[in-house]
Amino acid sequence: MGEPRGNPSDSMLLIYSLNDYDETFVKIKKVLWILGLRLTRNDSDRVKFWFQVFYWFEFANLLGAVILEIIELIRTVTGGSFEDIIASLGMIPCMGYLISAILKSYKICYYESMYENLINELRNMWPQGKVTEDEHVIISKALKQLNFVTTEISGFYWCNYALIIGCMLPCYTAIIQIAFGQDVPKILAYLYWLPFDPLQPYVFEVLIIIQSWHTILSIMGIVSGDLLFFIFVSHITTQFDLMSLRIEKLIFVPTDQQLINIYPLAIHNKHKRNDQVASTEMQNEEIREDVHQKELLDIILRHRTLIRLCADVESLFSFSLLINFINSSVIICFLSFVIVVVEKWYEFMYKTAMVTILSQTWLICWFGQKLLDSSKRLSQALYNCGWYTSSQKIKKNIQIMLFRTGKAVGVTTYGFTIICLASYTTIIKTSWSYFTLIYNSYKMNQK
């Protein structure tokens, strides 16, 4: 982001460029590269081919891991003791992560053109050059929030990195202890069904490396889908807020005995445009109506575009978010049970997974809430724009826009529920209900 340019009178103006927009995608492109996915890259046909081969190889790895875990879970449930069944519950969160990662990465691969179109359209809408201080406040706040989530300093990233370490650390610790001659049991991070003994020499070490790679792929698959959702929603929210500000400054209303300087509308009018333009509009009614009509038409077209982009985000993410929310409810439930009943207090694999899934779900709901709130603010901006001083034609257009903006724009979980902070509360309540039921059944079996 640029710093103020020019003389002191220009201090209210700041400069932005497309580089500010492009920087928000730097981290996600690195994550996608790990998965063999590339967005907005001008690759040659040969490079595209080898990256596709790389992606489908990784996809087959994750799919194979899910199948092996399901087979092992079925074998344990059908032929094991009650204690074995309880211990196997720790496999369910792992399968949930794998399924979510497969689904999110596949969506990016299959709908690559739609993702790229979203990126390019939002890029074309990004403000360039000088902006007012009001616009700067909106843009800089959005960039700060987005950078905090999408960079390595964010808690979201640290939780996911800690989860990778937490999953694999016990295995590597056991390998090191065995190498130094200590008699400790060999530990695998995940329980795969295998037609041979996985703990035999050399085989065990190879399996640890494979499971480490599966862990990285599953976490990066989830992170890639979530980060793209955060980035798209953040940019659409920013455009809605900039549009609200633009609407509030649409019609110049002079201050008088009824509209005194301390009223909000007067404060907006004070900064909206210079006195020369305002006086010209006030003197010539035809010029004023023509200017307002053109500006309003441009606002309507921008609003339609944003609604269409929200629909694209809905089509790209709604099903995976539905699976994500179902997984979250189940995973939080079983993680709670494993932490309370199975896992020892000094082990932190499942505790790290709990923090990660809670933060991930909360961020999804928080960004969904931001989108809802920003779209609702358009109605308030239209009402506050000084419409009562405009012509009858402008009033009718604003009335139509008020009717359309009365319906908030948001993203749903495949049409079941709108993603917002209330959804997060619902997930926690559902998980707690499941956990209470399982825990009470467990205690009754122990008696």
Side-chain angles (χ1 to χ4, degrees):
M1 184 196 74
E3 294 297 326
R5 302 286 198 272
N7 55 53
S9 63
D10 294 330
S11 60
M12 300 288 286
L13 300 173
L14 294 166
I15 296 176
Y16 285 87
S17 69
L18 290 176
N19 289 334
D20 300 306
Y21 175 84
D22 294 336
E23 284 176 3
T24 61
F25 287 91
V26 170
K27 187 61 184 178
I28 181 61
K29 288 182 179 180
K30 293 179 181 178
V31 175
L32 291 173
W33 185 88
I34 297 174
L35 299 171
L37 298 170
R38 291 165 71 82
L39 293 177
T40 65
R41 305 275 192 176
N42 297 320
D43 295 328
S44 64
D45 292 339
R46 177 178 294 182
V47 172
K48 288 181 180 179
F49 171 77
W50 286 112
F51 267 101
Q52 287 178 355
V53 171
F54 183 46
Y55 168 74
W56 287 112
F57 173 75
E58 293 180 326
F59 182 90
N61 266 266
L62 292 181
L63 185 61
V66 172
I67 294 172
L68 293 176
E69 282 204 326
I70 291 175
I71 294 174
E72 181 63 24
L73 181 63
I74 293 173
R75 288 180 67 252
T76 305
V77 171
T78 55
S81 63
F82 182 76
E83 288 74 17
D84 292 333
I85 295 173
I86 294 299
S88 67
L89 293 179
M91 298 168 59
I92 294 178
C94 301
M95 286 189 289
Y97 266 95
L98 286 169
I99 293 170
S100 295
I102 291 172
L103 182 60
K104 291 181 179 181
S105 65
Y106 177 75
K107 274 276 190 178
I108 299 171
C109 178
Y110 189 78
Y111 293 102
E112 179 182 349
S113 60
M114 286 188 66
Y115 280 96
E116 290 185 343
N117 180 68
L118 262 171
I119 294 172
N120 292 328
E121 286 207 54
L122 288 170
R123 190 175 191 269
N124 293 333
M125 298 169 71
W126 184 255
Q128 300 181 57
K130 291 181 178 181
V131 299
T132 64
E133 186 177 6
D134 292 334
E135 292 172 330
H136 164 67
V137 169
I138 293 172
I139 299 170
S140 61
K141 182 180 179 181
L143 287 178
K144 286 178 182 177
Q145 291 174 347
L146 192 57
N147 288 337
F148 181 76
V149 174
T150 59
T151 57
E152 289 86 346
I153 64 173
S154 70
F156 177 71
Y157 259 102
W158 280 112
C159 284
N160 283 285
Y161 292 151
L163 183 56
I164 295 175
I165 296 171
C167 289
M168 303 311 304
L169 186 60
C171 307
Y172 286 102
T173 302
I175 291 176
I176 294 171
Q177 289 176 325
I178 293 171
F180 280 93
Q182 298 184 26
D183 187 16
V184 295
K186 294 180 178 179
I187 304 172
L188 284 172
Y190 314 113
L191 300 177
Y192 293 170
W193 173 84
L194 296 169
F196 51 82
D197 181 13
L199 301 181
Q200 57 185 304
Y202 303 111
V203 174
F204 172 73
E205 287 75 10
V206 172
L207 282 175
I208 291 297
I209 295 173
I210 293 174
Q211 290 190 348
S212 299
W213 184 238
H214 288 172
T215 303
I216 294 172
L217 289 181
S218 61
I219 298 300
M220 292 300 104
I222 292 174
V223 168
S224 64
D226 291 344
L227 286 185
L228 281 172
F229 178 76
F230 299 156
I231 294 170
F232 288 146
V233 171
S234 177
H235 285 307
I236 292 174
T237 300
T238 301
Q239 293 299 328
F240 271 127
D241 288 338
L242 290 174
M243 187 188 298
S244 296
L245 185 62
R246 186 177 175 186
I247 290 171
E248 288 174 347
K249 297 182 177 183
L250 176 64
I251 301 171
F252 181 81
V253 182
T255 57
D256 52 24
Q257 292 182 350
Q258 292 186 350
L259 182 63
I260 60 178
N261 289 327
I262 61 173
Y263 283 10
L265 183 57
I267 295 172
H268 283 298
N269 276 274
K270 183 171 63 175
H271 298 298
K272 76 171 48 174
R273 58 190 73 179
N274 61 58
D275 293 336
Q276 184 179 358
V277 175
S279 62
T280 302
E281 290 185 15
M282 295 302 296
Q283 291 172 6
N284 193 324
E285 186 175 344
E286 292 183 2
I287 294 177
R288 179 178 61 180
E289 182 174 350
D290 186 56
V291 169
H292 291 168
Q293 190 66 32
K294 289 180 179 179
E295 183 77 4
L296 190 59
L297 177 61
D298 191 54
I299 290 173
I300 291 172
L301 293 176
R302 176 63 61 92
H303 187 223
R304 288 178 178 174
T305 301
L306 289 176
I307 292 174
R308 177 173 54 79
L309 294 180
C310 285
D312 289 344
V313 172
E314 168 87 10
S315 63
L316 290 174
F317 293 95
S318 61
F319 182 71
S320 60
L321 287 173
L322 173 64
I323 301 300
N324 198 113
F325 278 24
I326 294 173
N327 266 342
S328 296
S329 300
V330 175
I331 290 173
I332 291 171
C333 164
F334 284 107
L335 282 175
S336 302
F337 182 81
V338 172
I339 290 171
V340 172
V341 176
V342 179
E343 191 183 30
K344 299 176 183 178
W345 69 270
Y346 55 83
E347 295 174 347
F348 58 93
M349 171 183 170
Y350 291 105
K351 298 179 182 67
T352 306
M354 175 66 83
V355 175
T356 303
I357 195 69
L358 288 174
S359 63
Q360 176 217 25
T361 308
W362 183 84
L363 281 172
I364 291 173
C365 295
W366 183 70
F367 275 98
Q369 185 69 52
K370 278 189 62 180
L371 180 59
L372 281 175
D373 293 342
S374 65
S375 65
K376 289 178 181 177
R377 282 193 286 269
L378 288 176
S379 295
Q380 190 66 34
L382 285 165
Y383 186 76
N384 291 336
C385 72
W387 53 269
Y388 52 85
T389 65
S390 62
S391 66
Q392 194 66 26
K393 186 177 181 180
I394 299 295
K395 288 178 183 177
K396 287 182 179 179
N397 289 333
I398 291 177
Q399 188 177 16
I400 293 172
M401 280 198 70
L402 271 170
F403 179 78
R404 178 60 188 88
T405 55
K407 181 181 179 182
V409 177
V411 180
T412 69
T413 52
Y414 213 59
F416 285 94
T417 182
I418 296 177
I419 297 173
C420 56
L421 290 177
S423 306
Y424 187 70
T425 306
T426 303
I427 291 172
I428 299 300
K429 288 181 178 178
T430 305
S431 301
W432 178 255
S433 300
Y434 292 157
F435 165 72
T436 305
L437 178 63
I438 295 174
Y439 185 66
N440 288 336
S441 300
Y442 170 75
K443 287 199 299 184
M444 289 178 62
N445 258 282
Q446 292 295 101
K447 292 181 180 179

